[in-house]
Amino acid sequence: VFFDGDAYLTGSIDPFKTMLPLSNDTWDIQFQTDHPEISDYNIGWYFAKATQRTYEFFNRSYAEWNITQEWDQLVMWKVGHVMESEENGLRVHLLSTSDYKVCYSIYEP
Amino acid sequence: MSRATRYLFVIVTWGVLIALYHAAFQPPKLRTDRFSTGWSLSNNRPAEGHSYSYGEVNQTDLPSKALEPSKPVAHSSTKAIQTASPSKALTPLKTDSRFISWLSARVPVDRVPFITIGDCKYIHALRNFRDRLEHWGYGDDLIVICLDQCCVDARDYHAYTRYIGESVAFVKVSLL
């Protein structure tokens, strides 16, 4: 599990409770999302499984970031979306926004 | 000024001085001083109760056995994570990745490490995070890729020192 330093656990539930377990074979990486309607990734919290696809995902993200020097989160989202559409591509599971909240979703009405 | 007023003045002055003395010499009580393992001096209190129950969720959605926390979490009283040295019980994996090799010597391979990047400004947040992880038995699985020495010196987690001076974005896309 990777998380940003400004992530905060409320302590109300086990952090693994609503993520898919490692034994589930339907995912390579699980991301928090800011906007589930467009399936974007928030890389402030993700659970990556050690698979060939995730290895390739991080390698391609690094290569792309070296070229563009864009926002790391945007780079990984772009690369991930391409990989998701590929045959035998990256399997991404987006986490529930009710359990994995981003700050503005807490303060928005 | 009457005698009674003078007595009252003396009593009030003493009261104020005693209150100031206590306020000045009272050690601060941080959130992390309560029942964490890594930074409390002496604390044998059990974890304050949480309401988590495996009965609440579908068993198929539970993490694997290796991820199950040991409940209730036993909080050792004085143990601090030795950030500089690996666990004697763990043999590092032979791999081209220095980070993975380093990591495997500190967190068993059947555990999921919680990895983040930190520096001086995040010490309290990291301690707080570890404190929360302790509730579920994951406290010793916290890994911090430190960007400065101050982060390393905190000693409340496993600190990886090779990226001191690097940027967060570089670490995120290159290491992870």
Side-chain angles (χ1 to χ4, degrees):
Chain A
V1 171
F2 176 83
F3 64 97
D4 274 347
D6 57 358
Y8 179 78
L9 295 176
T10 62
S12 57
I13 60 168
D14 184 317
F16 288 108
K17 185 179 174 185
T18 56
M19 292 197 290
L20 297 176
L22 284 171
S23 57
N24 183 314
D25 194 33
T26 64
W27 63 278
D28 295 304
I29 191 164
Q30 303 181 52
F31 282 106
Q32 185 182 27
T33 180
D34 293 341
H35 304 96
E37 67 277 10
I38 57 170
S39 302
D40 63 352
Y41 307 164
N42 183 325
I43 63 172
W45 180 279
Y46 61 80
F47 186 13
K49 200 187 280 187
T51 68
Q52 189 60 38
R53 296 183 192 91
T54 51
Y55 181 73
E56 184 182 341
F57 167 62
F58 286 117
N59 275 339
R60 283 167 65 168
S61 296
Y62 180 44
E64 183 70 14
W65 181 77
N66 268 332
I67 295 167
T68 65
Q69 294 287 306
E70 283 184 307
W71 183 25
D72 48 6
Q73 178 163 291
L74 183 62
V75 169
M76 291 174 81
W77 181 35
K78 284 179 179 175
V79 171
H81 264 221
V82 170
M83 288 187 67
E84 281 186 76
S85 64
E86 293 171 352
E87 189 178 353
N88 201 25
L90 186 71
R91 297 169 306 173
V92 176
H93 174 71
L94 295 180
L95 297 167
S96 160
T97 51
S98 61
D99 292 323
Y100 298 88
K101 296 178 187 296
V102 288
C103 62
Y104 59 80
S105 68
I106 294 173
Y107 295 113
E108 277 177 356
Chain B
M1 187 183 290
S2 70
R3 178 173 290 187
T5 308
R6 269 182 283 166
Y7 279 136
L8 184 62
F9 177 76
V10 169
I11 289 169
V12 169
T13 303
W14 271 107
V16 169
L17 287 174
I18 290 168
L20 285 173
Y21 174 86
H22 281 283
F25 291 96
Q26 190 71 251
K29 289 191 186 320
L30 300 176
R31 172 79 179 91
T32 52
D33 287 335
R34 296 183 62 212
F35 43 81
S36 56
T37 61
W39 47 88
S40 60
L41 294 175
S42 61
N43 190 340
N44 292 317
R45 263 186 288 178
E48 288 179 359
H50 52 72
S51 58
Y52 178 71
S53 162
Y54 280 110
E56 297 170 11
V57 294
N58 185 335
Q59 291 298 314
T60 58
D61 289 337
L62 284 174
S64 64
K65 191 80 177 173
L67 296 182
E68 289 180 13
S70 49
K71 303 173 289 163
V73 179
H75 295 279
S76 61
S77 58
T78 57
K79 184 169 75 70
I81 286 183
Q82 299 299 308
T83 59
S85 56
S87 164
K88 288 176 183 172
L90 298 176
T91 305
L93 291 174
K94 288 180 180 172
T95 166
D96 292 338
S97 166
R98 291 173 67 166
F99 177 67
I100 297 297
S101 177
W102 176 91
L103 176 63
S104 65
R106 286 157 180 81
V107 177
V109 292
D110 60 351
R111 305 280 299 178
V112 174
F114 286 80
I115 304 172
T116 190
I117 303 166
D119 63 18
C120 240
K121 297 189 293 291
Y122 284 88
I123 299 297
H124 294 298
L126 292 169
R127 286 178 171 167
N128 188 287
F129 199 91
R130 164 150 185 170
D131 190 64
R132 293 299 165 95
L133 288 179
E134 291 285 353
H135 282 282
W136 312 105
Y138 308 134
D140 289 345
D141 302 331
L142 179 59
I143 301 291
V144 181
I145 298 164
C146 287
L147 303 180
D148 60 24
Q149 189 60 40
C150 169
C151 165
V152 177
D153 293 341
R155 292 173 54 85
D156 297 322
Y157 35 74
H158 301 287
Y160 189 65
T161 59
R162 192 156 173 259
Y163 284 85
I164 287 178
E166 292 289 357
S167 73
V168 171
F170 175 78
V171 176
K172 273 190 178 178
V173 296
S174 64
L175 176 67
L176 301 171

